[in-house]
Amino acid sequence: MSDEKVRVRIAPSPSGNLHIGTARTALFNYLFAKKMHGKYVLRIEDTDLDRSSEEYKQNIFDSLKALGLNWDEGPDVGGQYGPYKQSERFDIYPKFAQMLIDKGYAYECFCSNEDLDKEHEEAKAKKIPYKYSRKCLNLTKEQKDELKAKGIKPSIRFKVDYKELVFNDLVKGELKFDTSLIGDFAIMKSNGTPTYNFAVVVDDMLMKISHVIRGEDHISNTPKQILIYEALGATVPKFGHLGMILAPDRSKLSKRHGATAVSDFIKQGYLTEALLNFVALLGWAPSDGVEIKNVDEIAADFRINEISSSNSIFEYEKLNWMNGQYIKKMDISKLTDLALPFLNKYDTSKYSRDMLERIIEVTREPITLLKDLENDTQYFFEEPKLDEVKELLSTDLSKKVLEKFKNDVKDYDFNNEEEIHNKLADFRTYFKEQFGFKPKETMWAIRAALTGRTRGADMVAIIVILGKDEVIKRLNNV
Ligand code: GLU
C-alpha cells in the first residue's frame, strides 16, 4: 500500500466528555497518519440520539483541539467523504442493508423485545450462550407482509454462517474467531437507525479508511465487522487493537481514581503537552529511552507494530511528575497565559504583565499542577496570613532581625536587584557576627513576616516584586 492511501479515523460517540483513553487512541491514529503521510479523520458516532449531546460533541472538539490533535477531515472542516456525523448519514445505511438482504446476507426480523427476552431467559436456564433462534430467517413474503400490515416494523439481522475467521491484528498479531459462536446480529434497528457494528463498517468503507486503530474493547466487534465488509464486497481495513488503560489498582480507570476526561485534567492545571507525552507512553516506548518528547519527536520514532499489546497502568504520580517537568521548561509568557485563569480569585491587575511573568517564574519550580499556583502565589496578591508563623515571629531573634530590616530596607534601591542581594548577604553576616544567628534563621524571620511562610520563592525576588511600600507595610503589620 502506498503511503498516500493511509487513512485513519477517530470515531468518538458524544455520550460523554472526551476520555483520556480516547485521547490516546486519537493520538496513536494521529501519529500513524503523520508517520505514513496519510489522512486523519474525525467522525462523530451519534446514532444513539438519546445518549448523544451537543455539549459532549463540543467537548470532544475542544479537547482534541486543545491537545493539538487536529483532523484533516471532519464535521467542522468537511472533506471528500462527508458528512462526518453519523446522524447526518441516516439515509445512507438502509440502502446497504437492503443490498445485504437482496444478496441473501441479511433478513428482516419481526421478533419483539419480549420474544427476545424469552429466548435469552431460556438460554440462561439451559446455561448455554445465547444465540438468536433464527425464528424469522425463513418467513415467507406473505408472512412478512402480514406482519407489516399489522404495523410491526422489522429490524434487520445479519446472517452469520460458520466460518473460521482469522485476521492479523497490527498490535495483537494473529487472532482467530469461530463465527459459529456469534448469533445473527442486528444491523438495523426497527426504528430505521443502524446499529454500531453496521454504521461503523458502512462509514469506514465509504470513507476509505485503511487502518482501524482503536481500543481492544472493540475486538469482539471485529469479526462481525469483517463479515459485513466481506458481504458488502468491500476491502477489509487493517485492524490494530490497543491494550486498555487501567488504574493503578488495575481496575477500570474511573473518576474515583482521579480525572478521566481531558477537559478535567486541563481544569486541574495539567498542560496538554504533558498529557499527550504521558499518554503516548501508555503502550509505546521511545527507542532512545528518553521519555520527555514532543509530538513531532514521537511521530518520527513511532512504529505501530511496536505498540505493546498488553494493558497499561495510568500512573497519576508519573503524570504529575511529567507535568512538573513541562511547567519548569515552558516558555514563561505561554505559561503565564495558562496560569492566569488559575489566579482569578486575586486582583492580578495590580501587577504589570512583566511582573506577573516574574511571579510565575519564581514560583513555578516546585509545582506539579497549575492549580497549585493559587496557593503558592497567594502572598503576592494578598496580605500574608501570619497564623502559622506566629511563634516564629515572636522570638527574640525575629524581633531583632525585623527591627533592623525595617530600618535598613528604607534605603534599599528597589531598582537594583543585585544590590538588594548583596545587602541581604551583609545583613545575614551582621547577625551572625553580632549575635551568632544562623543565616538561614535570619532569612526565615524576614520571609515569615513578608509571606506568612517559611518556604517559597527566592527572597530577593519577593522583595522586588512586592515593592518598597508593601514591604514596609508588611513589616509594620507584624
Ligand atoms: N464510537 C465507537 C466508540 O466510541 C468507535 C469505535 C471504533 O473506533 O470503531 O468507541
Side-chain angles (χ1 to χ4, degrees):
M1 178 176 291
S2 81
D3 282 1
E4 294 84 82
K5 292 230 184 87
V6 166
R7 290 178 57 79
V8 293
R9 81 324 187 254
I10 176 79
S13 303
S15 53
N17 290 334
L18 186 81
H19 192 274
I20 191 74
T22 314
R24 181 192 57 160
T25 308
L27 172 64
F28 283 1
N29 275 283
Y30 176 90
L31 291 170
F32 184 61
K34 222 170 152 69
K35 174 99 188 188
M36 305 302 283
H37 308 290
K39 292 272 185 265
Y40 159 73
V41 176
L42 171 66
R43 182 174 67 234
I44 296 292
E45 302 214 320
D46 56 351
T47 52
D48 187 345
L49 296 172
D50 293 338
R51 293 183 62 216
S52 304
S53 86
E54 256 321 289
E55 195 188 319
Y56 291 141
K57 197 191 82 190
Q58 198 55 47
N59 178 279
I60 292 170
F61 280 15
D62 294 345
S63 303
L64 287 171
K65 280 186 187 155
L67 293 169
L69 299 175
N70 297 316
W71 42 97
D72 300 306
E73 296 168 27
D76 54 341
V77 294
Q80 215 181 327
Y81 304 100
Y84 293 91
K85 242 168 86 180
Q86 287 185 328
S87 59
E88 291 171 10
R89 300 172 65 81
F90 278 144
D91 57 331
I92 297 175
Y93 310 111
K95 288 189 287 204
F96 287 98
Q98 189 57 49
M99 192 172 125
L100 292 180
I101 293 179
D102 296 344
K103 287 183 169 177
Y105 288 114
Y107 60 93
E108 290 175 317
C109 172
F110 295 84
C111 291
S112 64
N113 285 339
E114 292 76 53
D115 295 336
L116 298 173
D117 285 349
K118 228 171 108 198
E119 287 192 1
H120 272 283
E121 270 158 34
E122 279 164 16
K124 215 167 137 190
K126 287 188 200 153
K127 295 198 167 72
I128 51 171
Y130 173 71
K131 257 170 78 174
Y132 174 59
S133 64
R134 291 194 157 176
K135 204 158 103 190
C136 295
L137 175 60
N138 295 315
L139 293 179
T140 62
K141 182 167 183 320
E142 289 69 32
Q143 286 171 314
K144 285 190 262 187
D145 287 346
E146 206 176 298
L147 288 161
K148 283 181 193 168
K150 283 190 196 154
I152 303 179
K153 293 204 166 39
S155 61
I156 300 175
R157 280 184 188 271
F158 189 87
K159 187 165 156 272
V160 182
D161 291 321
Y162 169 72
K163 159 171 184 174
E164 193 184 71
L165 198 149
V166 184
F167 73 94
N168 220 330
D169 191 275
L170 295 165
V171 177
K172 306 247 167 212
E174 189 178 271
L175 295 176
K176 280 193 189 135
F177 293 91
D178 174 355
T179 63
S180 66
L181 301 172
I182 309 171
D184 296 350
F185 59 92
I187 55 173
M188 293 291 289
K189 300 180 196 161
S190 57
N191 66 6
T193 62
T195 61
Y196 156 69
N197 276 312
F198 190 52
V200 83
V201 170
V202 170
D203 289 347
D204 284 343
M205 171 183 79
L206 296 178
M207 293 179 184
K208 301 205 174 352
I209 298 302
S210 61
H211 295 73
V212 172
I213 302 166
R214 61 185 172 195
E216 72 173 30
D217 47 333
H218 284 288
I219 278 193
S220 61
N221 290 318
T222 306
K224 294 180 187 169
Q225 295 175 11
I226 292 176
L227 292 175
I228 300 173
Y229 279 107
E230 289 175 348
L232 289 170
T235 311
V236 182
K238 291 203 164 51
F239 290 95
H241 288 96
L242 309 171
M244 302 307 287
I245 299 176
L246 302 179
D249 64 6
R250 303 208 166 239
S251 66
K252 189 170 175 250
L253 191 68
S254 77
K255 285 198 184 124
R256 76 192 157 87
H257 300 109
T260 54
V262 169
S263 47
D264 288 337
F265 282 103
I266 294 174
K267 267 189 220 140
Q268 291 183 11
Y270 288 95
L271 303 182
T272 51
E273 291 85 347
L275 270 177
L276 265 191
N277 192 162
F278 176 76
V279 295
L281 299 172
L282 299 173
W284 172 83
S287 56
D288 60 2
V290 179
E291 291 198 317
I292 303 250
K293 281 200 160 49
N294 66 36
V295 174
D296 291 333
E297 290 164 333
I298 295 170
D301 195 21
F302 185 77
R303 271 166 295 272
I304 186 135
N305 56 348
E306 286 174 8
I307 290 179
S308 152
S309 63
S310 41
N311 294 333
S312 317
I313 305 292
F314 197 97
E315 304 279 7
Y316 285 89
E317 296 271 315
K318 181 167 176 186
L319 171 60
N320 289 349
W321 167 80
M322 194 169 260
N323 205 54
Q325 298 299 309
Y326 273 85
I327 287 175
K328 281 191 239 307
K329 279 194 315 198
M330 181 168 264
D331 167 73
I332 193 61
S333 170
K334 199 173 161 197
L335 186 67
T336 304
D337 289 341
L338 293 171
L340 285 175
F342 291 88
L343 305 182
N344 58 14
K345 86 174 217 201
Y346 304 127
D347 175 16
T348 51
S349 69
K350 67 178 187 187
Y351 288 110
S352 66
R353 170 75 191 192
D354 280 355
M355 274 301 176
L356 287 171
E357 288 189 6
R358 189 82 207 277
I359 290 171
I360 303 301
E361 176 69 63
V362 297
T363 42
R364 69 162 136 183
E365 177 66 26
I367 68 163
T368 52
L369 298 177
L370 292 179
K371 74 168 185 193
D372 301 341
L373 284 170
E374 185 184 279
N375 175 48
D376 288 12
T377 61
Q378 181 272 341
Y379 52 81
F380 288 111
F381 300 102
E382 296 177 337
E383 295 284 310
K385 298 180 183 121
L386 299 177
D387 305 351
E388 279 178 27
V389 289
K390 236 195 230 147
E391 255 174 60
L392 177 72
L393 289 173
S394 57
T395 61
D396 199 39
L397 179 151
S398 294
K399 283 184 186 148
K400 281 202 175 70
V401 166
L402 293 176
E403 200 172 279
K404 180 165 165 54
F405 186 60
K406 199 156 67 180
N407 191 50
D408 289 6
V409 81
K410 290 195 191 104
D411 301 325
Y412 281 15
D413 176 1
F414 272 63
N415 293 316
N416 189 341
E417 220 170 306
E418 204 186 319
E419 189 192 292
I420 296 182
H421 184 85
N422 294 335
K423 287 202 160 156
L424 275 179
D426 294 345
F427 187 85
R428 288 191 292 265
T429 311
Y430 168 82
F431 277 101
K432 179 144 197 307
E433 285 172 356
Q434 291 291 311
F435 302 99
F437 295 168
K438 287 185 189 138
K440 205 163 62 178
E441 287 172 334
T442 305
M443 294 314 283
W444 268 343
I446 297 175
R447 183 181 290 279
L450 296 183
T451 71
R453 302 173 189 215
T454 49
R455 329 157 48 135
D458 171 61
M459 228 21 258
V460 177
I462 294 173
I463 291 171
V464 171
I465 293 168
L466 288 176
K468 190 180 278 189
D469 293 346
E470 184 65 24
V471 167
I472 292 172
K473 190 174 129 203
R474 290 187 183 190
L475 292 169
N476 284 332
N477 282 347
V478 171

